């Protein structure tokens, strides 16, 4: 569907379930997701199946991201719905952190979604402690709209407007 210098962004396949289950079972990966709980293999399976269904229904989803060099599933990047708004997000396995993959793939997917689906605007949410994610959002041009709280932690609510 979409490629960057080092990644391929594509739809989910059944073969992704086992690796995705390993990604979301990592406490470091899940630290700033929801209440910070790791996900079970059953939750990972349900997520992949749900994404495949959503792709058939509307096209845009949090797409699977793989490393070009190894074809390893890295995680996901894309769009969902939060409180009736198009919401942008990403999740990468810890082995891919700190190497510029996050910025590379998010930049490409955000640009693709804005053009392909004519979103015009989208939101994102990040725990204020998640400085790596905040750096990525700010590099992409997201701007803080307000602060709030989720699961007793402070979060920043971001908006991105194309153009």
């Amino acid at each position: 569907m979409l490629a960057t210098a080092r990644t391929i962004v594509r739809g989910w396949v059944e073969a992704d379930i086992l690796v995705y289950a390993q990604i979301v079972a990592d406490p470091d990966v899940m630290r700033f997701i929801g209440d910070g709980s790791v996900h079970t293999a059953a939750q990972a399976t349900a997520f992949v199946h749900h994404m495949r269904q959503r792709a058939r229904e509307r096209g845009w989803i949090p797409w699977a991201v793989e490393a070009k060099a190894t074809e390893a599933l890295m995680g996901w990047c894309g769009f969902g719905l939060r409180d009736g708004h198009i919401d942008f997000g990403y999740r990468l396995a810890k082995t891919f952190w700190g190497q510029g993959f996050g910025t590379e793939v998010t930049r490409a997917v955000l640009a693709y979604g804005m053009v392909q689906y004519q979103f015009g605007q989208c939101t994102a949410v990040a725990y204020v402690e998640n400085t790596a994610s905040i750096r990525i959002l700010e590099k992409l041009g997201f701007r803080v709209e307000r602060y709030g709280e989720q699961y007793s932690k402070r979060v920043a609510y971001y908006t991105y407007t194309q153009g």
Side-chain angles (χ1 to χ4, degrees), residues 15-96:
D16 292 330
I17 292 172
L18 181 60
V19 176
Y20 186 64
Q22 293 168 345
I23 293 169
V24 296
D26 183 334
D28 289 333
V29 170
M30 300 305 291
R31 179 175 173 207
F32 297 118
I33 308 297
D35 67 0
S37 299
V38 297
H39 289 185
T40 65
Q43 287 171 304
T45 300
F47 175 84
V48 171
H49 289 163
H50 185 68
M51 290 307 102
R52 294 182 73 189
Q53 179 64 34
R54 282 283 186 232
R56 288 188 293 274
E57 293 170 1
R58 66 178 183 216
W60 50 271
I61 58 169
W63 293 287
V65 178
E66 72 177 44
K68 261 188 189 177
T70 62
E71 298 181 354
L73 180 69
M74 301 170 71
W76 59 259
C77 182
F79 302 90
L81 286 173
R82 181 189 303 266
D83 302 326
H85 299 281
I86 303 298
D87 193 65
F88 182 72
Y90 42 90
R91 181 174 305 157
L92 296 180
K94 189 167 47 176
T95 56
F96 298 102

Side-chain angles (χ1 to χ4, degrees), residues 86-88 90 121-128 130-131 133-138 141-147 155-161:
I86 303 298
D87 193 65
F88 182 72
Y90 42 90
Q121 186 176 56
C122 65
T123 62
V125 178
Y127 287 106
V128 295
N130 191 351
T131 56
S133 229
I134 287 171
R135 273 194 307 274
I136 289 172
L137 290 172
E138 290 176 352
F142 280 82
R143 298 291 175 243
V144 175
E145 291 293 321
R146 64 185 172 89
Y147 291 93
V155 295
Y157 293 89
Y158 286 86
T159 301
Y160 176 87
T161 304

